[in-house]
Amino acid sequence: MTSVFIVYFSQSGCTEQLAQACAAGVNQQPGAHATLYPIRGERILNGRFRDPALFRALANADAIIFGTPTFMGGPAAQFKAFADASSENWEQQHWRDKLAAGFTVGGSFNGEQGSTLQSLITLACQHGMLWVGMDMPFSYTDKSINRLGVQYGSSAHAPEGTVHAQDLATVRHLGSRVARLAAQQVIARQCAQATDSQLAPEPVLSQLM
C-alpha cells in the first residue's frame, strides 16, 4: 500500500474541493491510498499548531501533498502554523526522500499563487523532500488540464467560490502522478534492500567463535 497524505487548510471550501479531487487522483492508482487531513483552527493554540499524532503518521507516509489558499500573496496563516510546527521534526529529517507536491487557489488569475507554491517547495526542501511538479508541457495544445500553465504544482482560479472543472482535473492528475511515482519509489527501495541483503558478506568463522 502506497500511503499519500494530503494536508491542507480551506476557508471558503475551494481548497477542500481541490483536496478531494487530489485524493481521487491518488486513489486511482492501484495500491495507493489517500489520507485527507484538514487543518482546523482548534488545533492552533496560542498561535502554534499542535497534533503529535499527525506528525507521527506523516513520518510513515510515502508522500505528502500540501494545499492552501493564497492569501495576500502567500500561504494562509493556518497552513503556515502547521508548516512552522513541522520544524520540531526538522532535525530528525523524518520526511527526507519522501515525495512532495502542492496545490493552491486564488480569486484572480495571477494573485501570486506562484509565490504560495514556491513557499510549499521551500518547506519541502527544508525537510529534504523530493518535489513533484506538473508534467503537462502539452497543455499549450491540450487545454483539458493545466489551463493556467503552472508547472510548480496545481493552481486554481475560483473567483465565485466554485473551482473550475479543468482546475479540478489538474489537481486530480497531480495526485495520480504523485501516487504513481511514490509506488515506483517504494518498489525501488524494496529492490535495493533485497540486493543489499544478498550482497551482504557471510560471517567469517572466526567471528562466530
Side-chain angles (χ1 to χ4, degrees), residues 12-162:
S12 67
C14 290
T15 313
E16 174 74 31
Q17 295 174 49
L18 292 169
Q20 293 288 345
C22 187
V26 169
N27 292 331
Q28 284 177 348
Q29 291 294 324
H33 175 71
T35 300
L36 289 162
Y37 185 94
I39 297 170
R40 307 293 189 196
E42 57 266 25
R43 291 290 185 184
I44 302 174
L45 305 175
N46 297 320
R48 192 69 169 176
F49 175 86
R50 299 190 183 281
D51 189 347
L54 170 64
F55 288 110
R56 287 194 296 270
L58 292 177
N60 293 315
D62 297 305
I64 307 172
I65 302 176
F66 306 115
T68 173
T70 294
F71 290 157
M72 298 305 293
Q78 292 86 341
F79 181 88
K80 189 65 167 60
F82 155 77
D84 289 348
S86 74
S87 64
E88 296 177 7
N89 300 301
W90 173 82
E91 186 174 350
Q92 292 79 23
Q93 292 284 284
H94 288 157
W95 299 354
R96 178 194 290 122
D97 294 340
K98 296 183 188 298
L99 298 187
F103 56 88
T104 188
V105 59
S108 61
F109 280 112
N110 184 16
E112 277 38 89
Q113 287 95 317
S115 295
T116 297
L117 290 174
Q118 288 179 343
S119 295
L120 300 182
I121 293 171
T122 299
L123 171 63
C125 289
Q126 283 287 313
H127 286 283
M129 304 178 78
L130 307 175
W131 186 261
V132 179
M134 292 297 297
D135 59 342
M136 288 289 108
F138 58 87
S139 63
Y140 293 106
T141 55
D142 180 357
K143 295 295 184 183
S144 63
I145 63 173
N146 199 13
R147 68 191 181 104
L148 301 180
V150 177
Q151 297 299 122
Y152 292 139
S154 177
S155 182
H157 173 228
E160 314 228 337
T162 301

